[in-house]
Amino acid sequence: AHFDDQCSMKDGVRDCPFSGSRMFETTNAWTALAHFSAYKALGDNKALEKSSNDLSKLMDWCAIDPTNCNWVLAQPSIIYQHTKEPILLEFLKKQANSLLSSKPSNDAMLVAIESRELSLLYQILKDQKLLTAA
C-alpha cells in the first residue's frame, strides 16, 4: 500500500518492493477503504485522514489516464456514500464516463468488477446508462 511512499525514484527508474510485481498505484483504493472502515469502527479521525490521503493519491494517479482506474471504483464509491465529499463526487463522475466509454472486459472476474462498479455508480449518480451497462 501507499505506492508513492513505498516506491522511490532512483536514477529515473521506479524502485518498488517485490520488484513492483505486487505494488500498484491503484493499491491506495484498498488502503483508503481499510482506513475508512477503521474510522467507522473506531471513530478515529486519524484513520479518516489517512483514508482521505490515500484517495487523494488515487485521484492524482487516475487523472493521468482514467482507464487505469476502471477496476478500483467500488472503494471510492463506498466511501462517497458515507462522506458525500464533493471532490470525490467529481472524481466518480469522471471515472463513470471512463468506464462507460471503455470496451467491457472479456475476463469474467473483471466483468463482475465492472458490473458492481457500474451499479454502485448508478446508486450515486442516478444515470440510467450506468444501470443499463451494469
Side-chain angles (χ1 to χ4, degrees):
H2 303 282
F3 182 85
D4 288 340
D5 300 334
Q6 297 295 318
C7 297
S8 59
M9 291 293 281
K10 291 183 182 175
D11 300 321
V13 177
R14 185 72 76 177
D15 181 37
C16 300
F18 314 113
S19 301
S21 64
R22 294 188 299 177
M23 202 66 196
F24 306 99
E25 292 88 344
T26 54
T27 300
N28 283 320
W30 288 106
T31 57
L33 184 59
H35 289 304
F36 181 74
S37 298
Y39 162 73
K40 284 189 63 176
L42 305 172
D44 182 355
N45 285 332
K46 288 183 182 179
L48 184 59
E49 185 177 319
K50 288 179 182 180
S51 176
S52 179
N53 289 341
D54 285 350
L55 283 175
S56 179
K57 287 181 182 182
L58 178 70
M59 289 186 282
D60 288 347
W61 169 250
C62 297
I64 297 168
D65 181 358
T67 60
N68 286 330
C69 298
N70 280 353
W71 299 311
V72 291
L73 302 178
Q75 301 88 337
S77 295
I78 291 166
I79 294 169
Y80 173 78
Q81 289 175 332
H82 295 278
T83 65
K84 306 295 189 213
E85 288 289 330
I87 192 166
L88 194 48
L89 179 61
E90 289 307 310
F91 167 74
L92 292 172
K93 287 178 181 177
K94 289 176 187 172
Q95 286 301 137
N97 288 331
S98 173
L99 190 56
L100 284 172
S101 65
S102 297
K103 182 180 176 187
S105 177
N106 291 324
D107 180 277
M109 181 182 77
L110 296 179
V111 169
I113 291 170
E114 291 167 357
S115 181
R116 179 180 185 211
E117 290 175 339
L118 288 161
S119 296
L120 285 167
L121 289 166
Y122 170 76
Q123 290 175 2
I124 295 166
L125 303 173
K126 304 299 184 206
D127 183 339
Q128 186 62 38
K129 292 182 285 188
L130 296 163
L131 190 57
T132 301

